[in-house]
Amino acid sequence: MLEPFLFFVFAVLCVAGSLGMLLSRSPVAGALWMVQTMLSIACLYLTLNAGFIGVVQVLVYAGAIMVLFLFVIMLLNLEDVPKLSAFSWTRVAAFVGGVCVLALLLTVIAGQADLLPDTDTVAVAVVETQPPAVLAEPDGEIVAVVPGEAVAVPIDPTSVERIGVALLTRHAFSLEIIGALLLAATIGAVLLAKKRFV
Amino acid sequence: MDITWYLSLSAVLFTIGVLGVLLRRNVIVIILSVELMLNAVNLTLVAFSQAFGDVDGQILVFFVMSVAAAEAAVGLAIVIAMFRNKLTINVDEIRLFRG
C-alpha cells in the first residue's frame, strides 16, 4: 500500500523538477531543478528495492555530476536567457516532435500492458534450509538420514552482494573497460579545458 | 504495483528531455536534458530488473551512470573551451563547421 503512494509523490516531484529545468531561464536554476529530479529518481529506486542504485544515484548524479554542472555554470558567468516569447515555426515543430515521441512511447507501453510483469512479483529460489537429520541408535548405528526440508525463499535481486558478485565475475571485463573509459575522459577533460587548446 | 506506471513516468521524463534538446539553445541545458533522458532509461531498467528478479538490469544502470559521468566531464570541458573562444554557449551562434 505504501509503494503506490510513494511512487506518486516522487513521480510528481520528478516531473516537476524536469519541467522546471526545461522552463527555467537561468542555467543555475535549471541545474538546481535537475538536482530535485535526480533525488526523486533515487527515491523511486528505493521504492523498487534497488538500494545500491539509489545510493549510487545520489552520490554520482546529485553529488558529482550536478556539482560539476554548477561549477561550470558559475565559472562561465552567464546571463539569463531572454524569455521564451518569440514565436517561431522551428519551436512549434520541435514541440510537435516531442509530443509525437511521448505518444509513440505511451502507445507502445499501452499495447504491451498485458504482457508486462508487476514489480511485486519476486523471483523464488528453492533451497534447503534445514540440515539433514541423522537418526542413529544409541550404539552409533545409523538408521536413517532424513533430508532437510526444501523451502522456497524469495530472491532479493537487488542486494548489494548479488550486484557485487555479478560485477566482479560475469561483468569483470566491462568493469575494467569502464575504468579505462573514465581515465580517458578525465585526461580528455583536462586537456580540453586547458588554456589556448582549441 | 504495475510496472506500466514506472514505464509511463519514464516515457514522460524522456519526452521532457527530448523537448529540452529541441527547444533550448543553451548548450549546458542541452547536456542536462541528455542526462535526464539517460535517467529515464535507467528508471526503466531498474523497474524491469525488479520485475524479473534479475540483477543484470541494475548492472547496466551502473555502467550507464559511469558513461554519463564521463560524458558530462568531456561535454562540459568542450563547453568551457567553446566559451573561451566564442564568448557564447548559444548553439545558434556556434557555427564552426558551417564555413
Side-chain angles (χ1 to χ4, degrees), chain A residues 129-142:
Chain A
T129 49
Q130 306 291 328
V134 179
L135 299 181
E137 295 281 326
D139 57 356
E141 192 188 349
I142 293 173

Side-chain angles (χ1 to χ4, degrees), chain A residues 107-123:
Chain A
T107 313
V108 170
I109 292 170
Q112 309 294 321
D114 305 338
L115 304 175
L116 294 172
D118 282 354
T119 54
D120 298 330
T121 50
V122 179

Side-chain angles (χ1 to χ4, degrees), chain A residues 24-35 66 69-70 73-74 78 80, chain B residues 26 28-29 32:
Chain A
S24 68
R25 288 159 60 194
S26 140
V28 176
L32 289 176
W33 279 115
M34 201 62 188
V35 172
M66 297 317 297
F69 270 97
L70 284 171
I73 292 168
M74 291 172 181
L78 302 169
D80 285 5
Chain B
N26 185 323
I28 289 183
V29 178
L32 273 177

Side-chain angles (χ1 to χ4, degrees), chain A residues 49-99:
Chain A
N49 295 325
F52 174 71
I53 295 295
V55 171
V56 170
Q57 168 89 5
V58 173
L59 282 178
V60 173
Y61 268 117
I65 295 184
M66 297 317 297
V67 169
L68 186 65
F69 270 97
L70 284 171
F71 272 164
V72 169
I73 292 168
M74 291 172 181
L75 190 70
L76 298 187
N77 190 20
L78 302 169
E79 69 278 16
D80 285 5
V81 293
K83 203 169 184 175
L84 277 176
S85 57
F87 177 86
S88 75
W89 283 109
T90 325
R91 199 162 286 148
V92 173
F95 188 77
V96 171
V99 171

Side-chain angles (χ1 to χ4, degrees), chain A residues 3 22 57 117 119-120 158, chain B residues 1 3 6 24 39 50 58:
Chain A
E3 194 197 348
L22 179 64
Q57 168 89 5
T119 54
D120 298 330
T158 58
Chain B
M1 182 153 174
I3 196 177
Y6 286 96
R24 300 297 300 266
N39 266 283
Q50 170 67 18
Q58 300 196 21

Side-chain angles (χ1 to χ4, degrees), chain B residues 27-80:
Chain B
V27 176
I28 289 183
V29 178
I30 288 177
I31 299 180
L32 273 177
S33 305
V34 172
E35 299 285 337
L36 183 63
M37 286 193 268
L38 288 171
N39 266 283
V41 175
N42 281 353
L43 188 60
T44 307
L45 285 172
V46 173
F48 273 116
S49 159
Q50 170 67 18
F52 290 116
D54 191 353
V55 80
D56 280 356
Q58 300 196 21
I59 288 169
L60 194 51
V61 170
F62 184 77
F63 288 139
V64 169
M65 280 180 182
S66 316
V67 174
E71 173 240 320
V74 174
L76 289 173
I78 291 175
V79 169
I80 289 178

